C-alpha cells in the first residue's frame, strides 16, 4: 500500500525567499507524481505533473523533481510571494488509477 | 474549456437524511473520482468510476455510494448522514485508465457538506 509523507507540515518564510517542500513515497512503482495547491476551503489546483520517466518539471517559479529510486520528490519555489500562501499537496499515482495524497505542507509567506 | 464542476457548493443536512452531490467532468474525460476531506484531515479516496462502472472503492461504509451517467457525469450519495460526514467532498476527472499514466487529475472546487 502506497504511503505518502510531506515534510514540513507547516512553513513560514519572509517574502522573496526560495524554499523547498519535500514529499516521500514508499512504493516506487509509480506512474506519475502530481503537485497541487489548495487554498483554504477550496478545491485543488494542479501545479506540476512529473511522469515516472522524468526527473523534473518546471512552470514559472516552480520546479518539481522526482527521484523514484529513493522515493522522493521536491517542489522548489523561487522568490516566494504572499500569494503563494496555501497548502501544497503531493500525490502519487500507482496502478488502479487512484492517487495517494500526502497530508500537505501549509505555507505562509509573510510580506 | 470548462473545468470540473460540482454542485451544490454548500449543503446542509440533518443527521439521518440523505445527501446527493453532483460532478461534471472535463469534456473528454471518462473517469471520475470522489474524495473526502474532513476538517484538519487529509484527502481520503472514496470512489472511482470509469465508463459507467465502479472501478475502485476506498475504505468507506456502504452508505456512501454513487453512479456515473452515460455523459460521464457522476453523483455521490450519502445515506443515513452522521455528524462525522461533515467535510469537503472533492470530485476529480481524468482520461481513462489507459491514458492516465500520461495525464493527471483535474479537481473541482468541492461541495461543503455540513451535517447538523
Amino acid at each position: 500500500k502506497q504511503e505518502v509523507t510531506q515534510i514540513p507540515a507547516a512553513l513560514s518564510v519572509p517574502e522573496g525567499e526560495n524554499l523547498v517542500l519535500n514529499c516521500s513515497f514508499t512504493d516506487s512503482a509509480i506512474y506519475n507524481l502530481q503537485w497541487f495547491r489548495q487554498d483554504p476551503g477550496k478545491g485543488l489546483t494542479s501545479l506540476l505533473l512529473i511522469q515516472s520517466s522524468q526527473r523534473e518539471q518546471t512552470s514559472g517559479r516552480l520546479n518539481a523533481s522526482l527521484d523514484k529510486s529513493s522515493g522522493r520528490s521536491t517542489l522548489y519555489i523561487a522568490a516566494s510571494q504572499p500569494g503563494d500562501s496555501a497548502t501544497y499537496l503531493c500525490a502519487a499515482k500507482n496502478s488502479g488509477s487512484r492517487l495517494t495524497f500526502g497530508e500537505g505542507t501549509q505555507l505562509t509567506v509573510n510580506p | 474549456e470548462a473545468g470540473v464542476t460540482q454542485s451544490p457548493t454548500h449543503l446542509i443536512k440533518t443527521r439521518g437524511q440523505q445527501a446527493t452531490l453532483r460532478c461534471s467532468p472535463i469534456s473528454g474525460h471518462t473517469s471520475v473520482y470522489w474524495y473526502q476531506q474532513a476538517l484538519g484531515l487529509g484527502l481520503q479516496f472514496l470512489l472511482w468510476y470509469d465508463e459507467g462502472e465502479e472501478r475502485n472503492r476506498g475504505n468507506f461504509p456502504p452508505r456512501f455510494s454513487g453512479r456515473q451517467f452515460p455523459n460521464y457525469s457522476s453523483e455521490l450519495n450519502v445515506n443515513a448522514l452522521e455528524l462525522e460526514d461533515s467535510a469537503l467532498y472533492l470530485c476529480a476527472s481524468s482520461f481513462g485508465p489507459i491514458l492516465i499514466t500520461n495525464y493527471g487529475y483535474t479537481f473541482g472546487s468541492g461541495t461543503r457538506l455540513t451535517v447538523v
Side-chain angles (χ1 to χ4, degrees):
Chain A
K1 177 188 171 187
Q2 178 71 277
E3 293 182 1
V4 178
T5 304
Q6 290 187 246
I7 295 172
L11 183 63
S12 181
V13 300
E15 182 176 3
E17 191 162 299
N18 301 325
L19 56 100
V20 175
L21 307 181
N22 297 292
C23 171
S24 61
F25 46 93
T26 55
D27 183 354
S28 62
I30 61 171
Y31 290 141
N32 59 52
L33 187 137
Q34 199 166 357
W35 281 91
F36 296 90
R37 166 187 173 140
Q38 186 176 32
D39 293 290
K42 305 295 184 182
L44 275 63
T45 300
S46 179
L47 298 172
L48 289 164
L49 172 71
I50 312 177
Q51 304 295 343
S52 62
S53 59
Q54 297 175 321
R55 296 288 299 209
E56 64 178 275
Q57 281 286 333
T58 299
S59 176
R61 294 183 293 108
L62 304 180
N63 176 277
S65 67
L66 176 65
D67 184 341
K68 274 184 57 177
S69 61
S70 66
R72 295 182 181 182
S73 177
T74 61
L75 178 67
Y76 175 82
I77 303 177
S80 58
Q81 303 170 358
D84 295 331
S85 298
T87 296
Y88 291 80
L89 296 153
C90 70
K93 183 196 176 306
N94 294 86
S95 62
S97 268
R98 65 194 261 185
L99 287 180
T100 303
F101 283 86
E103 296 291 318
T105 293
Q106 187 173 356
L107 173 65
T108 301
V109 181
N110 301 300
Chain B
E1 175 186 284
V4 177
T5 57
Q6 292 188 244
S7 64
T9 304
H10 294 87
L11 189 58
I12 300 175
K13 293 284 187 178
T14 57
R15 193 168 45 183
Q17 282 189 315
Q18 177 193 34
T20 298
L21 288 63
R22 296 178 176 83
C23 173
S24 293
I26 288 176
S27 177
H29 286 183
T30 63
S31 281
V32 171
Y33 311 81
W34 289 95
Y35 283 81
Q36 182 196 65
Q37 189 178 36
L39 190 64
L41 298 180
L43 280 140
Q44 302 296 319
F45 169 74
L46 269 165
L47 290 159
W48 168 34
Y49 292 95
D50 183 70
E51 297 286 1
E53 301 286 333
E54 182 179 303
R55 303 293 185 179
N56 203 347
R57 182 182 182 86
N59 189 25
F60 281 84
R63 57 190 187 82
F64 286 84
S65 65
R67 54 180 172 168
Q68 186 178 33
F69 300 98
N71 66 354
Y72 303 113
S73 66
S74 176
E75 274 184 0
L76 174 68
N77 296 294
V78 188
N79 295 319
L81 285 165
E82 300 178 1
L83 296 178
E84 52 265 34
D85 296 332
S86 294
L88 180 66
Y89 288 84
L90 292 167
C91 168
S93 74
S94 74
F95 291 107
I98 294 176
L99 293 177
I100 187 57
T101 54
N102 295 322
Y103 297 91
Y105 287 29
T106 302
F107 278 80
S109 298
T111 293
R112 171 73 63 186
L113 173 63
T114 302
V115 183
V116 297

